[in-house]
């Protein structure tokens, strides 16, 4: 990790998110009911989704961290993408309900006048969720965890939803009673957008989507500079949890000895791993001009 303190921070992020979301649920639910704010109640439901997402994230990271075995020789890395999909499908359903309930309240012309206690609850929610977002995103980026990054952006969506709630409460206090349920609709739309984007991203990674072409080109150029490598024939790569996997075919001289070939493989592995902040799994095949090849053990 980038700093020594990052490891300690990574271990605490799950606990902080759980207690932070429990606090948000209790506060928003209480202030939403007492303060008569439909938007704040919707935000409390959103925080319930946050709590569930955190629990599922922790379970997913524990599963993906298991070592490979005979039953799963490639490990459990893809479990994180499955967890991310579960998180966002659940949030998708929540978003649909919030949009439906908010639109119904507007069409029925309900006169909703929240009190200022709900307003201050929204301000507090913005601050707490922004802090949780920054910590979770930092840790998720450091360890390259898809489910943790997904959880971080889910926390950022809670910031946006709380901003919408605050605006809705102020509008309702000024006599625009439809603005509070409209804030609930806005919360739902924000969640819906994030869900669609990240479900798509997780599903593509489950189907072994290749990394950016720029990264593959960078790796290829670095390998081409290694001694005794005449050319890079093929590079296949895919994301598996928090560590990418590479399969590489390299052209080498025909007269190369086995010992020299093993040295080229080790150097090629080091070159690829240096390109990745969190390391990588690398399989190297050496191919001669005549088409012969031997594979990394």
């Amino acid at each position: 990790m980038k700093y020594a303190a990052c490891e300690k921070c990574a271990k605490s992020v799950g606990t902080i998110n759980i207690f932070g979301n429990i606090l948000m649920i209790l506060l928003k639910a209480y202030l939403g009911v007492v303060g008569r704010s439909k938007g704040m109640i919707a935000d409390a439901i959103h925080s319930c989704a946050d709590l569930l997402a955190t629990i599922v994230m922790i379970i997913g990271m524990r599963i993906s961290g298991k070592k490979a075995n005979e039953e799963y020789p490639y490990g459990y890395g893809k479990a994180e993408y499955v967890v991310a999909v579960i998180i966002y499908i659940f949030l998708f359903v929540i978003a649909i309900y919030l949009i439906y309930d908010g639109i119904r309240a507007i069409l029925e012309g309900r006169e909703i006048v929240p009190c200022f206690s709900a307003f201050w609850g929204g301000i507090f929610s913005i601050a707490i969720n922004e802090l949780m977002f920054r910590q979770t995103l930092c840790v998720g980026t450091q360890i390259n965890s898809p489910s943790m990054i997904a959880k971080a952006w889910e926390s950022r969506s809670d910031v946006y939803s709380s901003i919408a709630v605050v605006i809705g409460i102020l509008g309702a206090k000024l006599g625009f009673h439809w603005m509070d349920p409209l804030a609930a609709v806005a919360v739902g739309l924000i969640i819906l957008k994030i869900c669609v984007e990240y479900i798509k991203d997780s599903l593509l990674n489950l189907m072994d989507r290749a990394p950016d072409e720029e990264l593959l080109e960078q790796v290829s150029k670095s390998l081409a500079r290694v001694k005794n490598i005449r050319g890079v024939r093929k590079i296949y790569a895919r994301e598996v949890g928090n560590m990418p996997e590479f399969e590489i075919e390299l052209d080498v001289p025909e007269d190369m000895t086995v010992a020299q070939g093993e040295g080229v493989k080790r150097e090629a592995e080091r070159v690829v791993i240096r390109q990745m902040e969190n390391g990588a799994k690398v399989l190297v095949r050496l191919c001669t001009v005549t088409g012969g090849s031997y594979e990394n053990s």
Side-chain angles (χ1 to χ4, degrees):
M1 293 189 181
K2 191 174 180 181
Y3 303 106
C6 288
E7 189 173 348
K8 184 178 179 181
C9 187
K11 290 178 180 178
S12 67
V13 67
T15 303
I16 290 173
N17 271 269
I18 286 174
F19 283 103
N21 282 308
I22 290 174
L23 175 63
M24 289 294 95
I25 291 167
L26 295 175
L27 179 67
K28 291 176 185 178
Y30 174 76
L31 293 178
V33 173
V34 174
R36 302 183 302 280
S37 170
K38 184 169 284 292
M40 183 60 70
I41 293 171
D43 214 12
I45 295 171
H46 189 187
S47 291
C48 288
D50 282 352
L51 179 61
L52 178 65
T54 301
I55 293 170
V56 176
M57 174 195 73
I58 293 170
I59 294 170
M61 290 187 66
R62 287 186 178 178
I63 294 172
S64 66
K66 291 182 178 179
K67 293 182 180 179
N69 52 44
E70 290 184 5
E71 189 175 1
Y72 296 96
Y74 294 100
Y76 296 79
K78 288 187 178 292
E80 288 214 37
Y81 298 119
V82 175
V83 169
V85 170
I86 292 171
I87 290 172
Y88 287 115
I89 288 176
F90 178 78
L91 292 178
F92 186 90
V93 174
I94 293 291
I96 294 296
Y97 170 76
L98 294 178
I99 293 168
Y100 164 77
D101 191 56
I103 291 175
R104 189 179 67 174
I106 293 170
L107 293 177
E108 289 177 357
R110 301 176 196 169
E111 187 171 312
I112 302 171
V113 185
C115 67
F116 262 107
S117 61
F119 170 83
W120 292 114
I123 296 295
F124 183 71
S125 172
I126 291 169
I128 296 299
N129 280 292
E130 181 64 19
L131 290 173
M132 289 195 296
F133 161 75
R134 290 179 181 273
Q135 185 202 21
T136 308
L137 182 65
C138 179
V139 172
T141 303
Q142 286 291 316
I143 66 173
N144 194 26
S145 168
S147 61
M148 187 171 287
I149 292 171
K151 176 64 190 68
W153 284 104
E154 205 282 326
S155 292
R156 171 52 69 85
S157 73
D158 214 352
V159 174
Y160 295 148
S161 66
S162 293
I163 291 172
V165 168
V166 166
I167 293 171
I169 292 170
L170 286 175
K173 292 294 287 183
L174 293 172
F176 303 100
H177 304 298
W178 50 268
M179 286 190 69
D180 186 64
L182 182 64
V185 174
V187 171
L189 290 173
I190 290 168
I191 301 171
L192 203 63
K193 178 179 180 294
I194 291 173
C195 287
V196 171
E197 289 175 354
Y198 282 91
I199 287 173
K200 177 184 175 183
D201 189 61
S202 296
L203 289 176
L204 287 174
N205 282 321
L206 278 171
M207 293 187 289
D208 291 337
R209 177 179 60 176
D212 294 337
E213 191 67 32
E214 185 179 342
L215 172 62
L216 297 180
E217 187 177 340
Q218 185 180 349
V219 170
S220 180
K221 287 179 179 178
S222 299
L223 288 169
R225 292 193 289 267
V226 176
K227 184 180 178 181
N228 287 326
I229 293 180
R230 288 185 173 178
V232 179
R233 185 173 293 190
K234 292 179 182 177
I235 298 182
Y236 298 109
R238 61 176 183 164
E239 291 282 345
V240 182
N242 61 359
M243 188 175 293
E245 287 188 359
F246 288 84
E247 292 184 26
I248 301 169
E249 292 184 9
L250 303 172
D251 288 326
V252 297
E254 269 185 73
D255 58 353
M256 176 177 286
T257 66
V258 173
Q260 288 174 324
E262 291 302 316
V264 169
K265 288 181 184 180
R266 287 192 295 270
E267 182 58 27
E269 288 176 13
R270 282 195 289 267
V271 166
V272 174
I273 290 170
R274 279 199 297 265
Q275 301 285 328
M276 306 292 114
E277 287 186 6
N278 299 292
K281 295 178 182 178
V282 185
L283 174 68
V284 181
R285 297 184 181 91
L286 302 183
C287 306
T288 63
V289 175
T290 56
S293 67
Y294 55 99
E295 198 170 294
N296 204 8
S297 60

